[in-house]
Amino acid sequence: DTEVTQTPKHLVMGMTNKKSLKCEQHMGHRAMYWYKQKAKKPPELMFVYSYEKLSINESVPSRFSPECPNSSLLNLHLHALQPEDSALYLCASSQEVRLREQYFGPGTRLTVT
Amino acid sequence: AQSVSQHNHHVILSEAASLELGCNYSYGGTVNLFWYVQYPGQHLQLLLKYFSGDPLVKGIKGFEAEFIKSKFSFNLRKPSVQWSDTAEYFCAVNALLTGGGNKLTFGTGTQLKVEL
């Protein structure tokens, strides 16, 4: 099973709202990732978690706050977002952070109004 | 920092035509190379990967890619495309970072449309 699941599929939020995106994998992978993908563009790395610890933050604004409660779950907490943050947010996982292939979830389509 | 360039942004082919999508990367260290595909309305799927060994790698759905180290290239090929191959194709490079960890960098993507 190479499935990464993400909820919700779609999310509309105002600039003053607080919301969370969730990601789950049951492949025993120890590395998990958040990416942002704008329309007609490639995914861009936001955060990397390795063994439940944040290992890479690609200079992402603090209005995005990642959390890894356990090895299977990854959250992205959103607060005071801007309209330009509207995008597809992708979660991925890999066996570990060592050049292994990453498996992607279907994404959450976020619209900030 | 590594970078990935895909030469063709939009490709239109007729069914049964042969396909070759170019990909070049820029990075001097150890890399692993991937092609991902994103079908309309679906999530990114791994098409094939190169870690080491035989530079000609075969993936799913009849796709293959050749790693040419001297040219920093990893071109994707398929002898005969089908209408169902219509999708966005991303080349990606996973490279070790000097500070530890690794980063997967995607090319800009190639939108392939196969016409009946």
Side-chain angles (χ1 to χ4, degrees), chain A residues 35 37 42 56 58 97 99-102 104-106, chain B residues 32 34 36 38 43 49 51 94 97 102-104 107:
Chain A
Y35 289 84
Q37 186 178 21
I56 295 178
E58 288 283 290
V97 181
L99 307 185
R100 305 302 299 180
E101 62 268 36
Q102 295 180 20
F104 285 81
Chain B
N32 285 355
F34 306 88
Y36 282 88
Q38 194 167 29
H43 61 279
K49 60 190 179 187
F51 287 170
N94 205 355
L97 302 176
N102 66 283
K103 180 177 178 180
L104 185 65

mmCIF file with all atom_site columns, all heavy atoms in Angstrom, chain A residues 35 37 42 56 58 97 99-102 104-106, chain B residues 32 34 36 38 43 49 51 94 97 102-104 107:
data_model
loop_
_atom_site.group_PDB
_atom_site.id
_atom_site.type_symbol
_atom_site.label_atom_id
_atom_site.label_alt_id
_atom_site.label_comp_id
_atom_site.label_asym_id
_atom_site.label_entity_id
_atom_site.label_seq_id
_atom_site.pdbx_PDB_ins_code
_atom_site.Cartn_x
_atom_site.Cartn_y
_atom_site.Cartn_z
_atom_site.occupancy
_atom_site.B_iso_or_equiv
_atom_site.pdbx_formal_charge
_atom_site.auth_seq_id
_atom_site.auth_comp_id
_atom_site.auth_asym_id
_atom_site.auth_atom_id
_atom_site.pdbx_PDB_model_num
ATOM 1   N N   . TYR A 1 35  ? 4.448  20.263 0.717   1.00 0.00 ? 35  TYR A N   1
ATOM 2   C CA  . TYR A 1 35  ? 4.758  21.028 -0.475  1.00 0.00 ? 35  TYR A CA  1
ATOM 3   C C   . TYR A 1 35  ? 3.592  21.958 -0.779  1.00 0.00 ? 35  TYR A C   1
ATOM 4   O O   . TYR A 1 35  ? 2.447  21.665 -0.458  1.00 0.00 ? 35  TYR A O   1
ATOM 5   C CB  . TYR A 1 35  ? 4.943  20.113 -1.693  1.00 0.00 ? 35  TYR A CB  1
ATOM 6   C CG  . TYR A 1 35  ? 6.192  19.282 -1.706  1.00 0.00 ? 35  TYR A CG  1
ATOM 7   C CD1 . TYR A 1 35  ? 6.251  18.059 -1.030  1.00 0.00 ? 35  TYR A CD1 1
ATOM 8   C CD2 . TYR A 1 35  ? 7.317  19.689 -2.420  1.00 0.00 ? 35  TYR A CD2 1
ATOM 9   C CE1 . TYR A 1 35  ? 7.406  17.285 -1.052  1.00 0.00 ? 35  TYR A CE1 1
ATOM 10  C CE2 . TYR A 1 35  ? 8.473  18.915 -2.450  1.00 0.00 ? 35  TYR A CE2 1
ATOM 11  C CZ  . TYR A 1 35  ? 8.497  17.719 -1.766  1.00 0.00 ? 35  TYR A CZ  1
ATOM 12  O OH  . TYR A 1 35  ? 9.639  16.939 -1.798  1.00 0.00 ? 35  TYR A OH  1
ATOM 13  N N   . GLN A 1 37  ? 1.829  23.817 -4.174  1.00 0.00 ? 37  GLN A N   1
ATOM 14  C CA  . GLN A 1 37  ? 1.817  23.818 -5.626  1.00 0.00 ? 37  GLN A CA  1
ATOM 15  C C   . GLN A 1 37  ? 0.802  24.826 -6.143  1.00 0.00 ? 37  GLN A C   1
ATOM 16  O O   . GLN A 1 37  ? -0.403 24.665 -5.942  1.00 0.00 ? 37  GLN A O   1
ATOM 17  C CB  . GLN A 1 37  ? 1.513  22.420 -6.186  1.00 0.00 ? 37  GLN A CB  1
ATOM 18  C CG  . GLN A 1 37  ? 1.641  22.337 -7.697  1.00 0.00 ? 37  GLN A CG  1
ATOM 19  C CD  . GLN A 1 37  ? 1.379  20.943 -8.255  1.00 0.00 ? 37  GLN A CD  1
ATOM 20  O OE1 . GLN A 1 37  ? 0.734  20.113 -7.616  1.00 0.00 ? 37  GLN A OE1 1
ATOM 21  N NE2 . GLN A 1 37  ? 1.908  20.672 -9.450  1.00 0.00 ? 37  GLN A NE2 1
ATOM 22  N N   . PRO A 1 42  ? 5.437  23.662 -10.597 1.00 0.00 ? 42  PRO A N   1
ATOM 23  C CA  . PRO A 1 42  ? 5.829  22.434 -9.890  1.00 0.00 ? 42  PRO A CA  1
ATOM 24  C C   . PRO A 1 42  ? 5.649  22.589 -8.384  1.00 0.00 ? 42  PRO A C   1
ATOM 25  O O   . PRO A 1 42  ? 5.568  23.717 -7.875  1.00 0.00 ? 42  PRO A O   1
ATOM 26  C CB  . PRO A 1 42  ? 7.315  22.308 -10.238 1.00 0.00 ? 42  PRO A CB  1
ATOM 27  C CG  . PRO A 1 42  ? 7.761  23.709 -10.483 1.00 0.00 ? 42  PRO A CG  1
ATOM 28  C CD  . PRO A 1 42  ? 6.583  24.413 -11.106 1.00 0.00 ? 42  PRO A CD  1
ATOM 29  N N   . ILE A 1 56  ? 13.875 20.430 7.995   1.00 0.00 ? 56  ILE A N   1
ATOM 30  C CA  . ILE A 1 56  ? 14.031 21.495 7.002   1.00 0.00 ? 56  ILE A CA  1
ATOM 31  C C   . ILE A 1 56  ? 12.798 22.397 7.027   1.00 0.00 ? 56  ILE A C   1
ATOM 32  O O   . ILE A 1 56  ? 11.668 21.914 7.006   1.00 0.00 ? 56  ILE A O   1
ATOM 33  C CB  . ILE A 1 56  ? 14.230 20.933 5.576   1.00 0.00 ? 56  ILE A CB  1
ATOM 34  C CG1 . ILE A 1 56  ? 15.545 20.161 5.469   1.00 0.00 ? 56  ILE A CG1 1
ATOM 35  C CG2 . ILE A 1 56  ? 14.203 22.067 4.549   1.00 0.00 ? 56  ILE A CG2 1
ATOM 36  C CD1 . ILE A 1 56  ? 15.787 19.534 4.106   1.00 0.00 ? 56  ILE A CD1 1
ATOM 37  N N   . GLU A 1 58  ? 11.846 25.618 4.698   1.00 0.00 ? 58  GLU A N   1
ATOM 38  C CA  . GLU A 1 58  ? 12.313 26.382 3.554   1.00 0.00 ? 58  GLU A CA  1
ATOM 39  C C   . GLU A 1 58  ? 11.882 27.848 3.651   1.00 0.00 ? 58  GLU A C   1
ATOM 40  O O   . GLU A 1 58  ? 11.260 28.390 2.737   1.00 0.00 ? 58  GLU A O   1
ATOM 41  C CB  . GLU A 1 58  ? 11.804 25.761 2.251   1.00 0.00 ? 58  GLU A CB  1
ATOM 42  C CG  . GLU A 1 58  ? 12.482 24.459 1.887   1.00 0.00 ? 58  GLU A CG  1
ATOM 43  C CD  . GLU A 1 58  ? 13.873 24.690 1.318   1.00 0.00 ? 58  GLU A CD  1
ATOM 44  O OE1 . GLU A 1 58  ? 13.993 25.204 0.195   1.00 0.00 ? 58  GLU A OE1 1
ATOM 45  O OE2 . GLU A 1 58  ? 14.856 24.335 2.012   1.00 0.00 ? 58  GLU A OE2 1
ATOM 46  N N   . VAL A 1 97  ? 14.844 10.098 5.217   1.00 0.00 ? 97  VAL A N   1
ATOM 47  C CA  . VAL A 1 97  ? 15.369 11.249 4.488   1.00 0.00 ? 97  VAL A CA  1
ATOM 48  C C   . VAL A 1 97  ? 16.749 10.903 3.948   1.00 0.00 ? 97  VAL A C   1
ATOM 49  O O   . VAL A 1 97  ? 17.762 11.301 4.498   1.00 0.00 ? 97  VAL A O   1
ATOM 50  C CB  . VAL A 1 97  ? 15.436 12.485 5.412   1.00 0.00 ? 97  VAL A CB  1
ATOM 51  C CG1 . VAL A 1 97  ? 15.968 13.690 4.660   1.00 0.00 ? 97  VAL A CG1 1
ATOM 52  C CG2 . VAL A 1 97  ? 14.067 12.782 5.959   1.00 0.00 ? 97  VAL A CG2 1
ATOM 53  N N   . LEU A 1 99  ? 17.365 10.439 0.103   1.00 0.00 ? 99  LEU A N   1
ATOM 54  C CA  . LEU A 1 99  ? 17.241 10.331 -1.350  1.00 0.00 ? 99  LEU A CA  1
ATOM 55  C C   . LEU A 1 99  ? 16.259 9.260  -1.807  1.00 0.00 ? 99  LEU A C   1
ATOM 56  O O   . LEU A 1 99  ? 16.273 8.861  -2.956  1.00 0.00 ? 99  LEU A O   1
ATOM 57  C CB  . LEU A 1 99  ? 18.616 10.067 -1.996  1.00 0.00 ? 99  LEU A CB  1
ATOM 58  C CG  . LEU A 1 99  ? 19.747 11.035 -1.639  1.00 0.00 ? 99  LEU A CG  1
ATOM 59  C CD1 . LEU A 1 99  ? 20.981 10.713 -2.444  1.00 0.00 ? 99  LEU A CD1 1
ATOM 60  C CD2 . LEU A 1 99  ? 19.321 12.465 -1.880  1.00 0.00 ? 99  LEU A CD2 1
ATOM 61  N N   . ARG A 1 100 ? 15.416 8.788  -0.924  1.00 0.00 ? 100 ARG A N   1
ATOM 62  C CA  . ARG A 1 100 ? 14.445 7.782  -1.329  1.00 0.00 ? 100 ARG A CA  1
ATOM 63  C C   . ARG A 1 100 ? 13.294 8.440  -2.084  1.00 0.00 ? 100 ARG A C   1
ATOM 64  O O   . ARG A 1 100 ? 13.062 9.632  -1.986  1.00 0.00 ? 100 ARG A O   1
ATOM 65  C CB  . ARG A 1 100 ? 13.888 7.037  -0.107  1.00 0.00 ? 100 ARG A CB  1
ATOM 66  C CG  . ARG A 1 100 ? 14.926 6.402  0.777   1.00 0.00 ? 100 ARG A CG  1
ATOM 67  C CD  . ARG A 1 100 ? 15.781 5.421  0.030   1.00 0.00 ? 100 ARG A CD  1
ATOM 68  N NE  . ARG A 1 100 ? 15.003 4.326  -0.515  1.00 0.00 ? 100 ARG A NE  1
ATOM 69  C CZ  . ARG A 1 100 ? 15.542 3.329  -1.218  1.00 0.00 ? 100 ARG A CZ  1
ATOM 70  N NH1 . ARG A 1 100 ? 16.829 3.323  -1.449  1.00 0.00 ? 100 ARG A NH1 1
ATOM 71  N NH2 . ARG A 1 100 ? 14.779 2.359  -1.679  1.00 0.00 ? 100 ARG A NH2 1
ATOM 72  N N   . GLU A 1 101 ? 12.553 7.607  -2.821  1.00 0.00 ? 101 GLU A N   1
ATOM 73  C CA  . GLU A 1 101 ? 11.412 8.155  -3.555  1.00 0.00 ? 101 GLU A CA  1
ATOM 74  C C   . GLU A 1 101 ? 10.343 8.600  -2.570  1.00 0.00 ? 101 GLU A C   1
ATOM 75  O O   . GLU A 1 101 ? 10.179 8.011  -1.497  1.00 0.00 ? 101 GLU A O   1
ATOM 76  C CB  . GLU A 1 101 ? 10.843 7.128  -4.536  1.00 0.00 ? 101 GLU A CB  1
ATOM 77  C CG  . GLU A 1 101 ? 10.311 5.863  -3.912  1.00 0.00 ? 101 GLU A CG  1
ATOM 78  C CD  . GLU A 1 101 ? 11.362 4.774  -3.832  1.00 0.00 ? 101 GLU A CD  1
ATOM 79  O OE1 . GLU A 1 101 ? 12.555 5.096  -3.595  1.00 0.00 ? 101 GLU A OE1 1
ATOM 80  O OE2 . GLU A 1 101 ? 11.005 3.600  -3.987  1.00 0.00 ? 101 GLU A OE2 1
ATOM 81  N N   . GLN A 1 102 ? 9.626  9.637  -2.964  1.00 0.00 ? 102 GLN A N   1
ATOM 82  C CA  . GLN A 1 102 ? 8.566  10.177 -2.133  1.00 0.00 ? 102 GLN A CA  1
ATOM 83  C C   . GLN A 1 102 ? 7.216  9.819  -2.745  1.00 0.00 ? 102 GLN A C   1
ATOM 84  O O   . GLN A 1 102 ? 7.050  9.856  -3.968  1.00 0.00 ? 102 GLN A O   1
ATOM 85  C CB  . GLN A 1 102 ? 8.706  11.697 -2.006  1.00 0.00 ? 102 GLN A CB  1
ATOM 86  C CG  . GLN A 1 102 ? 9.980  12.095 -1.273  1.00 0.00 ? 102 GLN A CG  1
ATOM 87  C CD  . GLN A 1 102 ? 10.126 13.587 -1.147  1.00 0.00 ? 102 GLN A CD  1
ATOM 88  O OE1 . GLN A 1 102 ? 9.167  14.342 -1.260  1.00 0.00 ? 102 GLN A OE1 1
ATOM 89  N NE2 . GLN A 1 102 ? 11.351 14.029 -0.888  1.00 0.00 ? 102 GLN A NE2 1
ATOM 90  N N   . PHE A 1 104 ? 3.217  10.802 -2.830  1.00 0.00 ? 104 PHE A N   1
ATOM 91  C CA  . PHE A 1 104 ? 2.416  11.993 -2.613  1.00 0.00 ? 104 PHE A CA  1
ATOM 92  C C   . PHE A 1 104 ? 0.953  11.678 -2.361  1.00 0.00 ? 104 PHE A C   1
ATOM 93  O O   . PHE A 1 104 ? 0.391  10.736 -2.929  1.00 0.00 ? 104 PHE A O   1
ATOM 94  C CB  . PHE A 1 104 ? 2.515  12.918 -3.834  1.00 0.00 ? 104 PHE A CB  1
ATOM 95  C CG  . PHE A 1 104 ? 3.825  13.641 -3.916  1.00 0.00 ? 104 PHE A CG  1
ATOM 96  C CD1 . PHE A 1 104 ? 4.951  13.019 -4.428  1.00 0.00 ? 104 PHE A CD1 1
ATOM 97  C CD2 . PHE A 1 104 ? 3.940  14.942 -3.453  1.00 0.00 ? 104 PHE A CD2 1
ATOM 98  C CE1 . PHE A 1 104 ? 6.174  13.678 -4.487  1.00 0.00 ? 104 PHE A CE1 1
ATOM 99  C CE2 . PHE A 1 104 ? 5.159  15.616 -3.503  1.00 0.00 ? 104 PHE A CE2 1
ATOM 100 C CZ  . PHE A 1 104 ? 6.267  14.985 -4.019  1.00 0.00 ? 104 PHE A CZ  1
ATOM 101 N N   . GLY A 1 105 ? 0.337  12.493 -1.526  1.00 0.00 ? 105 GLY A N   1
ATOM 102 C CA  . GLY A 1 105 ? -1.100 12.444 -1.341  1.00 0.00 ? 105 GLY A CA  1
ATOM 103 C C   . GLY A 1 105 ? -1.805 13.266 -2.412  1.00 0.00 ? 105 GLY A C   1
ATOM 104 O O   . GLY A 1 105 ? -1.157 13.914 -3.221  1.00 0.00 ? 105 GLY A O   1
ATOM 105 N N   . PRO A 1 106 ? -3.136 13.232 -2.403  1.00 0.00 ? 106 PRO A N   1
ATOM 106 C CA  . PRO A 1 106 ? -3.906 13.944 -3.437  1.00 0.00 ? 106 PRO A CA  1
ATOM 107 C C   . PRO A 1 106 ? -3.938 15.453 -3.244  1.00 0.00 ? 106 PRO A C   1
ATOM 108 O O   . PRO A 1 106 ? -4.293 16.184 -4.165  1.00 0.00 ? 106 PRO A O   1
ATOM 109 C CB  . PRO A 1 106 ? -5.309 13.351 -3.296  1.00 0.00 ? 106 PRO A CB  1
ATOM 110 C CG  . PRO A 1 106 ? -5.373 12.894 -1.888  1.00 0.00 ? 106 PRO A CG  1
ATOM 111 C CD  . PRO A 1 106 ? -3.998 12.453 -1.509  1.00 0.00 ? 106 PRO A CD  1
ATOM 112 N N   . ASN B 2 32  ? 19.695 11.442 -6.789  1.00 0.00 ? 32  ASN B N   1
ATOM 113 C CA  . ASN B 2 32  ? 18.796 10.433 -7.325  1.00 0.00 ? 32  ASN B CA  1
ATOM 114 C C   . ASN B 2 32  ? 17.802 11.162 -8.208  1.00 0.00 ? 32  ASN B C   1
ATOM 115 O O   . ASN B 2 32  ? 17.430 12.300 -7.926  1.00 0.00 ? 32  ASN B O   1
ATOM 116 C CB  . ASN B 2 32  ? 18.075 9.683  -6.204  1.00 0.00 ? 32  ASN B CB  1
ATOM 117 C CG  . ASN B 2 32  ? 19.000 8.701  -5.504  1.00 0.00 ? 32  ASN B CG  1
ATOM 118 O OD1 . ASN B 2 32  ? 20.144 8.498  -5.894  1.00 0.00 ? 32  ASN B OD1 1
ATOM 119 N ND2 . ASN B 2 32  ? 18.496 8.081  -4.466  1.00 0.00 ? 32  ASN B ND2 1
ATOM 120 N N   . PHE B 2 34  ? 14.199 11.255 -10.681 1.00 0.00 ? 34  PHE B N   1
ATOM 121 C CA  . PHE B 2 34  ? 12.830 10.732 -10.757 1.00 0.00 ? 34  PHE B CA  1
ATOM 122 C C   . PHE B 2 34  ? 12.061 11.418 -11.887 1.00 0.00 ? 34  PHE B C   1
ATOM 123 O O   . PHE B 2 34  ? 12.349 12.549 -12.263 1.00 0.00 ? 34  PHE B O   1
ATOM 124 C CB  . PHE B 2 34  ? 12.072 11.005 -9.446  1.00 0.00 ? 34  PHE B CB  1
ATOM 125 C CG  . PHE B 2 34  ? 12.769 10.504 -8.223  1.00 0.00 ? 34  PHE B CG  1
ATOM 126 C CD1 . PHE B 2 34  ? 13.700 11.291 -7.560  1.00 0.00 ? 34  PHE B CD1 1
ATOM 127 C CD2 . PHE B 2 34  ? 12.483 9.246  -7.714  1.00 0.00 ? 34  PHE B CD2 1
ATOM 128 C CE1 . PHE B 2 34  ? 14.347 10.837 -6.421  1.00 0.00 ? 34  PHE B CE1 1
ATOM 129 C CE2 . PHE B 2 34  ? 13.121 8.781  -6.576  1.00 0.00 ? 34  PHE B CE2 1
ATOM 130 C CZ  . PHE B 2 34  ? 14.055 9.574  -5.933  1.00 0.00 ? 34  PHE B CZ  1
ATOM 131 N N   . TYR B 2 36  ? 7.934  12.056 -12.280 1.00 0.00 ? 36  TYR B N   1
ATOM 132 C CA  . TYR B 2 36  ? 6.597  11.935 -11.716 1.00 0.00 ? 36  TYR B CA  1
ATOM 133 C C   . TYR B 2 36  ? 5.595  12.352 -12.774 1.00 0.00 ? 36  TYR B C   1
ATOM 134 O O   . TYR B 2 36  ? 5.877  13.192 -13.639 1.00 0.00 ? 36  TYR B O   1
ATOM 135 C CB  . TYR B 2 36  ? 6.424  12.852 -10.498 1.00 0.00 ? 36  TYR B CB  1
ATOM 136 C CG  . TYR B 2 36  ? 7.057  12.339 -9.225  1.00 0.00 ? 36  TYR B CG  1
ATOM 137 C CD1 . TYR B 2 36  ? 8.393  12.618 -8.918  1.00 0.00 ? 36  TYR B CD1 1
ATOM 138 C CD2 . TYR B 2 36  ? 6.329  11.586 -8.314  1.00 0.00 ? 36  TYR B CD2 1
ATOM 139 C CE1 . TYR B 2 36  ? 8.974  12.157 -7.741  1.00 0.00 ? 36  TYR B CE1 1
ATOM 140 C CE2 . TYR B 2 36  ? 6.896  11.130 -7.133  1.00 0.00 ? 36  TYR B CE2 1
ATOM 141 C CZ  . TYR B 2 36  ? 8.209  11.415 -6.859  1.00 0.00 ? 36  TYR B CZ  1
ATOM 142 O OH  . TYR B 2 36  ? 8.782  10.959 -5.695  1.00 0.00 ? 36  TYR B OH  1
ATOM 143 N N   . GLN B 2 38  ? 1.412  13.569 -13.331 1.00 0.00 ? 38  GLN B N   1
ATOM 144 C CA  . GLN B 2 38  ? 0.193  14.062 -12.691 1.00 0.00 ? 38  GLN B CA  1
ATOM 145 C C   . GLN B 2 38  ? -0.913 14.063 -13.735 1.00 0.00 ? 38  GLN B C   1
ATOM 146 O O   . GLN B 2 38  ? -0.973 14.950 -14.591 1.00 0.00 ? 38  GLN B O   1
ATOM 147 C CB  . GLN B 2 38  ? 0.420  15.467 -12.118 1.00 0.00 ? 38  GLN B CB  1
ATOM 148 C CG  . GLN B 2 38  ? -0.634 15.928 -11.156 1.00 0.00 ? 38  GLN B CG  1
ATOM 149 C CD  . GLN B 2 38  ? -0.201 17.187 -10.387 1.00 0.00 ? 38  GLN B CD  1
ATOM 150 O OE1 . GLN B 2 38  ? 0.572  18.003 -10.877 1.00 0.00 ? 38  GLN B OE1 1
ATOM 151 N NE2 . GLN B 2 38  ? -0.700 17.344 -9.175  1.00 0.00 ? 38  GLN B NE2 1
ATOM 152 N N   . HIS B 2 43  ? -3.395 12.766 -8.214  1.00 0.00 ? 43  HIS B N   1
ATOM 153 C CA  . HIS B 2 43  ? -2.207 13.197 -7.499  1.00 0.00 ? 43  HIS B CA  1
ATOM 154 C C   . HIS B 2 43  ? -0.940 12.760 -8.216  1.00 0.00 ? 43  HIS B C   1
ATOM 155 O O   . HIS B 2 43  ? -0.977 11.950 -9.143  1.00 0.00 ? 43  HIS B O   1
ATOM 156 C CB  . HIS B 2 43  ? -2.228 12.669 -6.065  1.00 0.00 ? 43  HIS B CB  1
ATOM 157 C CG  . HIS B 2 43  ? -2.238 11.163 -5.982  1.00 0.00 ? 43  HIS B CG  1
ATOM 158 N ND1 . HIS B 2 43  ? -3.374 10.412 -6.140  1.00 0.00 ? 43  HIS B ND1 1
ATOM 159 C CD2 . HIS B 2 43  ? -1.242 10.276 -5.747  1.00 0.00 ? 43  HIS B CD2 1
ATOM 160 C CE1 . HIS B 2 43  ? -3.081 9.136  -6.000  1.00 0.00 ? 43  HIS B CE1 1
ATOM 161 N NE2 . HIS B 2 43  ? -1.804 9.021  -5.762  1.00 0.00 ? 43  HIS B NE2 1
ATOM 162 N N   . LYS B 2 49  ? 12.446 5.813  -11.447 1.00 0.00 ? 49  LYS B N   1
ATOM 163 C CA  . LYS B 2 49  ? 13.494 6.384  -10.604 1.00 0.00 ? 49  LYS B CA  1
ATOM 164 C C   . LYS B 2 49  ? 14.850 5.832  -11.004 1.00 0.00 ? 49  LYS B C   1
ATOM 165 O O   . LYS B 2 49  ? 14.955 4.706  -11.519 1.00 0.00 ? 49  LYS B O   1
ATOM 166 C CB  . LYS B 2 49  ? 13.220 6.050  -9.136  1.00 0.00 ? 49  LYS B CB  1
ATOM 167 C CG  . LYS B 2 49  ? 13.183 4.546  -8.867  1.00 0.00 ? 49  LYS B CG  1
ATOM 168 C CD  . LYS B 2 49  ? 12.682 4.225  -7.471  1.00 0.00 ? 49  LYS B CD  1
ATOM 169 C CE  . LYS B 2 49  ? 12.636 2.708  -7.271  1.00 0.00 ? 49  LYS B CE  1
ATOM 170 N NZ  . LYS B 2 49  ? 11.996 2.335  -5.995  1.00 0.00 ? 49  LYS B NZ  1
ATOM 171 N N   . PHE B 2 51  ? 18.631 5.370  -9.117  1.00 0.00 ? 51  PHE B N   1
ATOM 172 C CA  . PHE B 2 51  ? 19.486 5.525  -7.939  1.00 0.00 ? 51  PHE B CA  1
ATOM 173 C C   . PHE B 2 51  ? 20.935 5.249  -8.309  1.00 0.00 ? 51  PHE B C   1
ATOM 174 O O   . PHE B 2 51  ? 21.835 6.017  -7.985  1.00 0.00 ? 51  PHE B O   1
ATOM 175 C CB  . PHE B 2 51  ? 19.045 4.570  -6.828  1.00 0.00 ? 51  PHE B CB  1
ATOM 176 C CG  . PHE B 2 51  ? 17.754 4.966  -6.157  1.00 0.00 ? 51  PHE B CG  1
ATOM 177 C CD1 . PHE B 2 51  ? 17.115 4.099  -5.286  1.00 0.00 ? 51  PHE B CD1 1
ATOM 178 C CD2 . PHE B 2 51  ? 17.160 6.200  -6.382  1.00 0.00 ? 51  PHE B CD2 1
ATOM 179 C CE1 . PHE B 2 51  ? 15.925 4.451  -4.662  1.00 0.00 ? 51  PHE B CE1 1
ATOM 180 C CE2 . PHE B 2 51  ? 15.976 6.574  -5.769  1.00 0.00 ? 51  PHE B CE2 1
ATOM 181 C CZ  . PHE B 2 51  ? 15.361 5.679  -4.905  1.00 0.00 ? 51  PHE B CZ  1
ATOM 182 N N   . ASN B 2 94  ? 16.649 14.585 -6.393  1.00 0.00 ? 94  ASN B N   1
ATOM 183 C CA  . ASN B 2 94  ? 16.780 14.534 -4.945  1.00 0.00 ? 94  ASN B CA  1
ATOM 184 C C   . ASN B 2 94  ? 18.262 14.563 -4.611  1.00 0.00 ? 94  ASN B C   1
ATOM 185 O O   . ASN B 2 94  ? 19.003 13.681 -5.046  1.00 0.00 ? 94  ASN B O   1
ATOM 186 C CB  . ASN B 2 94  ? 16.139 13.252 -4.400  1.00 0.00 ? 94  ASN B CB  1
ATOM 187 C CG  . ASN B 2 94  ? 15.715 13.403 -2.969  1.00 0.00 ? 94  ASN B CG  1
ATOM 188 O OD1 . ASN B 2 94  ? 15.968 14.419 -2.334  1.00 0.00 ? 94  ASN B OD1 1
ATOM 189 N ND2 . ASN B 2 94  ? 15.044 12.396 -2.448  1.00 0.00 ? 94  ASN B ND2 1
ATOM 190 N N   . LEU B 2 97  ? 21.950 17.597 1.005   1.00 0.00 ? 97  LEU B N   1
ATOM 191 C CA  . LEU B 2 97  ? 22.275 18.963 1.356   1.00 0.00 ? 97  LEU B CA  1
ATOM 192 C C   . LEU B 2 97  ? 23.535 18.984 2.213   1.00 0.00 ? 97  LEU B C   1
ATOM 193 O O   . LEU B 2 97  ? 23.774 18.066 2.993   1.00 0.00 ? 97  LEU B O   1
ATOM 194 C CB  . LEU B 2 97  ? 21.111 19.606 2.114   1.00 0.00 ? 97  LEU B CB  1
ATOM 195 C CG  . LEU B 2 97  ? 19.774 19.636 1.372   1.00 0.00 ? 97  LEU B CG  1
ATOM 196 C CD1 . LEU B 2 97  ? 18.694 20.217 2.274   1.00 0.00 ? 97  LEU B CD1 1
ATOM 197 C CD2 . LEU B 2 97  ? 19.895 20.439 0.095   1.00 0.00 ? 97  LEU B CD2 1
ATOM 198 N N   . ASN B 2 102 ? 18.020 15.995 2.744   1.00 0.00 ? 102 ASN B N   1
ATOM 199 C CA  . ASN B 2 102 ? 17.990 16.029 1.291   1.00 0.00 ? 102 ASN B CA  1
ATOM 200 C C   . ASN B 2 102 ? 16.807 16.867 0.841   1.00 0.00 ? 102 ASN B C   1
ATOM 201 O O   . ASN B 2 102 ? 15.901 17.150 1.611   1.00 0.00 ? 102 ASN B O   1
ATOM 202 C CB  . ASN B 2 102 ? 17.891 14.622 0.718   1.00 0.00 ? 102 ASN B CB  1
ATOM 203 C CG  . ASN B 2 102 ? 16.578 13.954 1.055   1.00 0.00 ? 102 ASN B CG  1
ATOM 204 O OD1 . ASN B 2 102 ? 16.376 13.499 2.173   1.00 0.00 ? 102 ASN B OD1 1
ATOM 205 N ND2 . ASN B 2 102 ? 15.653 13.911 0.115   1.00 0.00 ? 102 ASN B ND2 1
ATOM 206 N N   . LYS B 2 103 ? 16.828 17.278 -0.417  1.00 0.00 ? 103 LYS B N   1
ATOM 207 C CA  . LYS B 2 103 ? 15.756 18.105 -0.966  1.00 0.00 ? 103 LYS B CA  1
ATOM 208 C C   . LYS B 2 103 ? 15.388 17.623 -2.355  1.00 0.00 ? 103 LYS B C   1
ATOM 209 O O   . LYS B 2 103 ? 16.259 17.408 -3.198  1.00 0.00 ? 103 LYS B O   1
ATOM 210 C CB  . LYS B 2 103 ? 16.205 19.570 -1.021  1.00 0.00 ? 103 LYS B CB  1
ATOM 211 C CG  . LYS B 2 103 ? 15.140 20.508 -1.577  1.00 0.00 ? 103 LYS B CG  1
ATOM 212 C CD  . LYS B 2 103 ? 15.615 21.939 -1.546  1.00 0.00 ? 103 LYS B CD  1
ATOM 213 C CE  . LYS B 2 103 ? 14.568 22.859 -2.152  1.00 0.00 ? 103 LYS B CE  1
ATOM 214 N NZ  . LYS B 2 103 ? 15.018 24.271 -2.140  1.00 0.00 ? 103 LYS B NZ  1
ATOM 215 N N   . LEU B 2 104 ? 14.096 17.458 -2.572  1.00 0.00 ? 104 LEU B N   1
ATOM 216 C CA  . LEU B 2 104 ? 13.574 17.061 -3.878  1.00 0.00 ? 104 LEU B CA  1
ATOM 217 C C   . LEU B 2 104 ? 13.176 18.321 -4.623  1.00 0.00 ? 104 LEU B C   1
ATOM 218 O O   . LEU B 2 104 ? 12.308 19.065 -4.168  1.00 0.00 ? 104 LEU B O   1
ATOM 219 C CB  . LEU B 2 104 ? 12.370 16.133 -3.703  1.00 0.00 ? 104 LEU B CB  1
ATOM 220 C CG  . LEU B 2 104 ? 11.763 15.527 -4.967  1.00 0.00 ? 104 LEU B CG  1
ATOM 221 C CD1 . LEU B 2 104 ? 12.754 14.600 -5.642  1.00 0.00 ? 104 LEU B CD1 1
ATOM 222 C CD2 . LEU B 2 104 ? 10.475 14.779 -4.622  1.00 0.00 ? 104 LEU B CD2 1
ATOM 223 N N   . GLY B 2 107 ? 11.425 20.021 -11.812 1.00 0.00 ? 107 GLY B N   1
ATOM 224 C CA  . GLY B 2 107 ? 11.465 20.869 -12.989 1.00 0.00 ? 107 GLY B CA  1
ATOM 225 C C   . GLY B 2 107 ? 10.125 21.562 -13.170 1.00 0.00 ? 107 GLY B C   1
ATOM 226 O O   . GLY B 2 107 ? 9.168  21.306 -12.435 1.00 0.00 ? 107 GLY B O   1
#
